[in-house]
């Protein structure tokens, strides 16, 4: 390692890679965090793994990290709660701040913000135990998608093709969340757009198309199967690629995201119109993950991507 690189690595100080956690996505987070720590260490950075699911905030404070890379997914890591603790502890961190993380984790609030900003997202209804399920089916049409709004990695999601199946789908999602989101089903191709940076400097990476077996991009097909196919850059007309990247960056900015993130998009088959599904403010960094794939298409290695994200770590609240 030459002197300039060694000096740069030392400038980051003692780095904590926060991984594991207590969410339903713990297994994926362990893979992400392990990969990130190894990548940073390969660049000479003093990176140390810290499992927030097994160790306390007092232990985190005692480690005296100069900054942390958040490689947690789901609740208690991606939802603003950890970000608030890091602000109180005064530890600079990667990714979005408290508000953007909390809003991005809530698919219902995300939709409200996007619709207010004039951005396209599928029609939806919020369900509870008293909801008129037949009326929801009549309004949104069938099939529709039912999901818990605070989970990720397709956990608790059901595709409902007949009205009689909506109650069972609701029960699955309600077991994981207080509110349940029913969403219009968009028939078409599935894409994702990674975004790096903040504000006016936020930029989209090449679009990735996801082609899962039988169109089922579930937890297994996301992280463990080799049957899902990915195309990056996606084979799209230039103007459609540009539009998809534009709305992804606008969606990211509308929520106040920063550092890095990933916006999932569906392209409706009948009119080639893109629809925003959700934003991930702490995306996966595993061997199957899509942000590293998009970065590679620009010639950015996994290791360099990790360093770029780490370099953006900061406290978001003014003292």
């Amino acid at each position: 390692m030459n002197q300039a690189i060694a000096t740069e690595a030392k400038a980051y100080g003692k780095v904590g890679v926060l991984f594991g956690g207590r969410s339903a996505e713990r297994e994926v987070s362990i893979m992400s965090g392990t990969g990130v720590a190894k990548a940073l260490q390969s660049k000479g950075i003093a990176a140390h793994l810290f499992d927030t699911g097994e160790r306390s905030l007092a232990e985190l404070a005692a480690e005296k990290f100069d900054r942390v890379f958040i490689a947690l997914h789901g609740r208690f890591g991606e939802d603003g709660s950890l970000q608030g603790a890091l602000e109180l502890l005064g530890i600079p961190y990667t990714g979005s701040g408290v508000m953007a993380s909390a809003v991005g984790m809530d698919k219902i609030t995300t939709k409200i913000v996007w619709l207010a900003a004039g951005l396209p997202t599928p029609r939806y209804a919020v369900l509870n135990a008293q909801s008129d399920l037949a009326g929801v089916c009549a309004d949104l049409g069938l099939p529709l998608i039912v999901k818990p709004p605070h989970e990720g990695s397709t956990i608790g999601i059901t595709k409902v093709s007949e009205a009689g199946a909506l109650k069972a789908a609701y029960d699955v999602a309600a077991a994981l969340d207080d509110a349940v989101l029913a969403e219009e089903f968009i028939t078409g191709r599935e894409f994702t757009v990674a975004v790096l940076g903040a504000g006016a400097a936020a930029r989209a990476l090449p679009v990735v198309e996801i082609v899962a077996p039988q169109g089922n991009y579930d937890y297994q097909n996301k992280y463990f199967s080799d049957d899902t196919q990915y195309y990056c850059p996606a084979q799209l007309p230039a103007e459609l690629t540009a539009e998809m990247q534009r709305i992804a960056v606008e969606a990211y900015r509308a929520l106040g995201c920063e550092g890095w993130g990933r916006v999932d998009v569906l392209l409706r088959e009948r009119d080639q119109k893109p629809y925003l599904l959700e934003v991930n403010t702490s995306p996966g960094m595993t061997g199957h993950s899509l942000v590293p794939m998009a970065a590679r298409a620009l010639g950015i290695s996994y290791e360099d991507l990790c360093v770029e994200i780490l370099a953006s770590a900061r406290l978001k609240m003014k003292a």
Side-chain angles (χ1 to χ4, degrees):
M1 183 181 300
N2 68 42
Q3 186 62 40
I5 294 175
T7 300
E8 181 184 347
K10 189 175 181 180
Y12 292 111
K14 182 181 180 182
V15 174
V17 177
L18 308 187
F19 81 137
R22 295 190 283 132
S23 81
E25 299 174 77
R26 174 178 171 80
E27 184 179 14
V28 178
S29 176
I30 289 172
M31 292 190 290
S32 289
T34 301
V36 168
K38 183 178 178 181
L40 295 177
Q41 289 162 0
S42 77
K43 293 291 190 176
I45 296 169
H48 307 266
L49 285 165
F50 186 98
D51 189 339
T52 62
E54 296 183 347
R55 302 179 67 185
S56 68
L57 288 176
E59 290 176 278
L60 178 59
E63 286 284 354
K64 299 191 180 303
F65 291 125
D66 293 296
R67 63 180 62 201
V68 294
F69 189 119
I70 299 177
L72 292 155
H73 312 312
R75 301 180 202 233
F76 310 111
E78 194 175 355
D79 61 359
S81 54
L82 176 68
Q83 288 75 9
L86 292 169
E87 293 284 351
L88 288 170
L89 293 172
I91 304 172
Y93 56 95
T94 57
S96 295
V98 177
M99 184 183 73
S101 297
V103 173
M105 192 68 195
D106 184 331
K107 297 178 182 66
I108 295 169
T109 306
T110 293
K111 280 180 168 290
I112 292 169
V113 172
W114 284 346
L115 288 169
L119 293 165
T121 187
R123 295 182 304 125
Y124 73 100
V126 180
L127 307 183
N128 58 41
Q130 288 75 46
S131 293
D132 174 7
L133 299 185
V136 169
C137 290
D139 182 42
L140 296 181
L142 292 170
L144 53 80
I145 296 293
V146 177
K147 62 181 78 171
H150 295 94
E151 290 290 351
S153 294
T154 66
I155 292 167
I157 289 182
T158 305
K159 179 180 178 182
V160 175
S161 298
E162 53 186 54
L166 181 53
K167 176 60 167 64
Y170 168 81
D171 290 341
V172 169
L176 297 166
D177 223 327
D178 291 335
V180 171
L181 173 64
E183 191 173 59
E184 172 190 17
F185 183 79
I186 302 292
T187 300
R189 295 158 69 187
E190 186 169 357
F191 300 86
T192 197
V193 184
V195 182
L196 297 179
R203 69 191 196 276
L205 298 186
V207 177
V208 180
E209 181 172 9
I210 303 156
V211 182
Q214 290 80 52
N216 185 22
Y217 193 45
D218 61 8
Y219 188 85
Q220 178 67 27
N221 285 330
K222 272 190 176 185
Y223 299 111
F224 302 104
S225 171
D226 291 322
D227 295 332
T228 300
Q229 295 178 299
Y230 304 96
Y231 300 94
C232 183
Q235 297 303 299
L236 292 167
E239 62 274 16
L240 188 50
T241 294
E243 174 63 7
M244 202 174 286
Q245 291 175 315
R246 183 192 70 79
I247 66 168
V249 171
E250 287 302 313
Y252 178 93
R253 288 175 179 153
L255 299 185
C257 298
E258 67 170 88
W260 68 313
R262 203 192 76 230
V263 180
D264 296 337
V265 183
L266 282 174
L267 184 64
R268 191 160 64 182
E269 184 176 60
R270 64 180 167 86
D271 58 4
Q272 299 297 284
K273 180 179 178 179
Y275 283 84
L276 298 162
L277 279 184
E278 62 181 87
V279 65
N280 297 272
T281 56
S282 183
M285 288 291 282
T286 73
H288 283 77
S289 293
L290 305 180
V291 177
M293 183 185 300
R296 278 198 305 274
L298 286 182
I300 303 171
S301 70
Y302 181 93
E303 292 78 11
D304 287 342
L305 174 64
C306 290
V307 173
E308 179 173 347
I309 294 168
L310 180 66
S312 70
R314 71 179 189 96
L315 291 168
K316 282 71 173 174
M317 295 183 180
K318 302 293 185 183

